[in-house]
Amino acid sequence: MTLEHSYTEAVESVIFDADQIAEAVERLAERIAADYRGQPLLLVAVLKGALYFAADLSRALARRVDGPSEVIVAYLTVSSYGNAHRSSGEVRLLKDTSTAVTGRQVLLVEDVVDNGLTLQYLRGRLLDRGPASLRTCVLLDKPYRRFADVPLEYVGMVAPDDFIVGYGLDYQERFRNLPYLARLCPGVFLERKG
Ligand code: PRP
């Protein structure tokens, strides 16, 4: 595969290409559409990482005539990694959603679950508001260092135990806009950022 983009020298290898991601999104949309058929659904996307996934998933749901009666997309912003390589274990809610959750069918949309603390924290915050139901949809499951036993109703793909960037996932805020999921060259982690 030819890597034609500005980050070519930083990418070691592609883990899931754009077609594989699109297929995973379609599979998830098919299941979610069937489960919420005829009902309104609130997607709560966890920024920044789930930006691209939520955009694609919500549009995949819109293309299904037999799916939810309507889909509303809300956002909140958390951070646990900061600029670090691994999660700090401390989840911070940087910006809450202003969309009402009470009484709604809610689907949390995450790009990746690793130790699970982010989802555990967010599920607690949302359950306090009394949704009619709360499920989680995650594109990538990294089950290797799970601390928190969180229910994952919809999982797109199981990721290898690597630091992964692209399709919303970053390293020090870079690489989110790669159209695929990739491993970085080790040298990238040695660069000093001012
Ligand atoms: C990443 C990812 C998840 C979280 C998962 O967010 O988007 O929200 O980590 O990790 P965990 O299961 O170990 O808690 P990050 O803090 O990097 O912020 P970002 O979404 O802005 O990249």
Side-chain angles (χ1 to χ4, degrees), residues 41-47 50 54 72-77 96-97 99-101 105-110 119 122 126 129 134-135 137:
L41 177 62
L42 173 63
L43 301 183
V44 178
V46 185
L47 298 183
I72 293 173
V73 187
Y75 304 91
L76 46 75
T77 308
D96 203 348
T97 179
T99 305
V101 163
Q105 314 268 26
V106 178
L107 185 61
L108 254 178
V109 179
E110 258 285 29
L119 278 178
L122 290 176
L126 293 176
R129 299 172 199 180
L134 177 62
R135 290 179 179 170
C137 177

Side-chain angles (χ1 to χ4, degrees), residues 58-94:
S58 58
R59 288 179 294 180
L61 287 169
R63 287 193 293 271
R64 296 189 171 269
V65 291
D66 56 350
S69 56
E70 67 173 22
V71 174
I72 293 173
V73 187
Y75 304 91
L76 46 75
T77 308
V78 294
S79 181
S80 63
Y81 280 60
N83 278 340
H85 203 129
R86 292 255 175 254
S87 172
S88 64
E90 180 193 347
V91 183
R92 287 184 300 146
L93 185 59
L94 302 181

Side-chain angles (χ1 to χ4, degrees), residues 48-49 79-81 110-118 170 176:
K48 301 175 190 171
S79 181
S80 63
Y81 280 60
E110 258 285 29
D111 52 330
V112 59
V113 55
D114 188 354
N115 64 37
L117 293 174
T118 304
D170 73 309
R176 290 194 199 273

Side-chain angles (χ1 to χ4, degrees), residues 30-37 39 135 154:
E30 184 176 5
R31 287 185 53 209
I32 293 165
D35 290 351
Y36 293 92
R37 181 169 299 150
Q39 304 171 59
R135 290 179 179 170
Y154 306 98

